[in-house]
Amino acid sequence: MGIPSGQYDHARHRHGAGGRDDPRQTPPRLRRSAYAGRLIRFLLALLLLTGTAQAEPLRIATFNIELSRKGPGLLLRDILRGDDPAVASVIETITSADPDIIALQGIDYDLEQAALNALADALTAAGAPYPHRFAAPPNAGRQSGVDLDGDGKLGTPRDAQGYGRFFGQGAMAILSRHPIREAEFQDFSTLLWRDLPDTLYPMIDGTPFAGAEAHATQRLSSNGHWSLPIQTPEGPVTLLTYHATPPVFDGPEDRNGRRNHDETIFWLHHLAGKIGTPPSPPFVLLGDANLDPQRGDGRGEAIAALLSHPTLQAPLPHRPTVNWSQTGPMRVDYILPSRDWQVLDAGFIWPKGESASRHALVWVDLTR
């Protein structure tokens, strides 16, 4: 059973998504719908708050765009060509959602952020400007010099701190219409896996899997764990974002399953003040956990603990966000606002096209 692509899926209603005939150009009706959507969100906030002056609601989104390529520079080439169907699908999906802030996964990183800037420039040309862009060096493809997966070989993609054929393959980024407070950025990507409290790092007869050197080298984050404040008109909002490894593609030691679990459990320790400085409200935890609380091979209790955390709320419960051919629909992408937010609306947009991402763009409208 599959989920149809190219459709809006709202918490309060459903309707067909407006498509476009030429994937290289956003037609005027899509641009008009973006402005209309902002007006509707503003009026909705006024109605809910009955006479109280209120800024326009903040729309925040997360989207695994699955644009990673097989080599460095290839994604930049494909974006600049302007005729790649997967890139066109991403641009259409983001433009249709019209978020104020969006966390991206599955975008290749480069030191000059050329691919991210090219994508943002293409979005601007399509009527969705994002003048503020952020990416930090990821663990994806960062070679460790150690046999981390215990296969007796060095320098393979699985010997990187996070899986990757090259440094930055399939990393993360942020696009925002509001200024990013980079001076207050907290990057937990260098945290060693063994240093996480109550770690599930695999042990074999009391010995660390792949040996002591791997145990002393392996980082927790397969991509990154970021705490990033953004300055909105109503004050700073902190994004807590990550992209966890899939809990499969390993052996009986369950290395990836255990790591996936711990990448999500990390946030419980951060919110409790055990690792780093916890965020002051308001904040939003979002990203691709690669973990469904009920389905799949992952340790669902980790995401279940996050979903029930007393400081968080979970719009769109029990709704799938990805459709993999091997597993069918699963819930793996999340936006979890802090409890002080009022959630006005929430929903999905499913990308269209044969080359489109298998993930939905997930969005929420928030006000305080």
Side-chain angles (χ1 to χ4, degrees):
M1 183 177 83
I3 298 176
S5 64
Q7 296 206 359
Y8 292 84
D9 190 350
H10 289 265
R12 299 181 181 176
H13 59 277
R14 297 187 183 197
H15 58 83
R20 63 185 181 189
D21 297 327
D22 183 353
R24 295 165 295 180
Q25 182 178 3
T26 301
R29 64 184 175 82
L30 272 185
R31 296 175 188 167
R32 288 196 300 269
S33 69
Y35 296 118
R38 294 185 193 178
L39 179 60
I40 290 170
R41 300 203 300 269
F42 175 71
L43 294 174
L44 179 59
L46 289 179
L47 289 172
L48 289 174
L49 296 168
T50 58
T52 303
Q54 178 70 20
E56 182 179 343
L58 187 69
R59 175 165 289 188
I60 297 181
T62 186
F63 186 21
N64 186 336
I65 58 179
E66 292 195 307
L67 284 185
S68 181
R69 298 301 191 251
K70 293 183 179 180
L74 297 183
L75 177 56
L76 175 62
R77 176 203 66 186
D78 292 345
I79 295 172
L80 293 177
R81 280 182 176 175
D83 59 0
D84 185 272
V87 174
S89 175
V90 166
I91 292 171
E92 179 181 6
T93 304
I94 295 175
T95 303
S96 299
D98 192 37
D100 299 296
I101 303 167
I102 184 168
L104 302 177
Q105 305 88 40
I107 181 170
D108 294 339
Y109 173 86
D110 61 84
L111 292 174
E112 296 181 352
Q113 299 187 19
L116 177 61
N117 285 328
L119 179 63
D121 291 344
L123 285 164
T124 298
Y130 291 96
H132 306 285
R133 303 126 187 212
F134 180 85
N139 286 334
R142 182 189 292 273
Q143 276 298 323
S144 66
V146 177
D147 179 17
L148 293 181
D149 66 345
D151 68 351
K153 302 176 184 178
L154 289 176
T156 69
R158 289 184 172 85
D159 292 326
Q161 290 289 359
Y163 182 89
R165 297 182 180 90
F166 60 90
F167 176 58
Q169 185 181 29
M172 309 190 305
I174 302 291
L175 296 176
S176 176
R177 291 179 177 151
H178 305 296
I180 297 171
R181 298 168 58 156
E182 294 190 31
E184 300 165 49
F185 171 55
Q186 293 185 80
D187 187 1
F188 303 104
S189 306
T190 61
L191 176 72
L192 293 179
W193 187 0
R194 70 177 185 179
D195 291 339
L196 184 77
D198 303 317
T199 176
L200 292 188
Y201 189 98
M203 307 292 286
I204 310 298
D205 296 327
T207 301
F209 172 76
E213 189 176 13
H215 190 224
T217 303
Q218 177 70 76
R219 298 177 179 182
L220 171 65
S221 304
S222 51
N223 276 278
H225 283 79
W226 299 348
S227 173
L228 183 66
I230 295 179
Q231 185 65 42
T232 75
E234 293 301 295
V237 173
T238 300
L239 299 187
L240 307 177
T241 190
Y242 73 127
H243 182 194
T245 191
V248 289
F249 311 121
D250 52 18
E253 81 289 342
D254 194 26
R255 175 179 178 241
N256 291 338
R258 290 169 176 269
R259 188 181 189 186
N260 172 276
H261 171 281
D262 281 0
E263 286 189 84
T264 290
I265 287 296
F266 165 87
W267 293 116
L268 299 183
H269 298 297
H270 178 59
L271 293 173
K274 297 179 181 178
I275 301 175
T277 302
S280 299
F283 60 89
V284 180
L285 198 162
L286 74 170
D288 182 354
N290 260 317
L291 188 61
D292 187 295
Q294 297 177 326
R295 297 194 58 210
D297 295 327
R299 297 170 180 251
E301 63 271 15
I303 194 65
L306 205 57
L307 291 170
S308 62
H309 193 276
T311 68
L312 299 172
Q313 51 185 319
L316 305 167
H318 315 299
R319 307 288 287 278
T321 66
V322 71
N323 188 20
W324 287 314
S325 59
Q326 304 93 328
T327 64
M330 294 181 69
R331 184 187 184 195
V332 301
D333 307 276
Y334 299 88
I335 303 181
L336 308 179
S338 55
R339 285 281 179 183
D340 53 306
W341 287 110
Q342 181 179 2
V343 177
L344 300 179
D345 202 357
F348 312 101
I349 297 180
W350 291 95
K352 294 186 295 184
E354 294 182 0
S355 302
S357 172
R358 297 164 294 178
H359 293 255
L361 181 152
V362 185
W363 58 265
V364 296
D365 287 346
L366 302 171
T367 191
R368 300 186 72 202

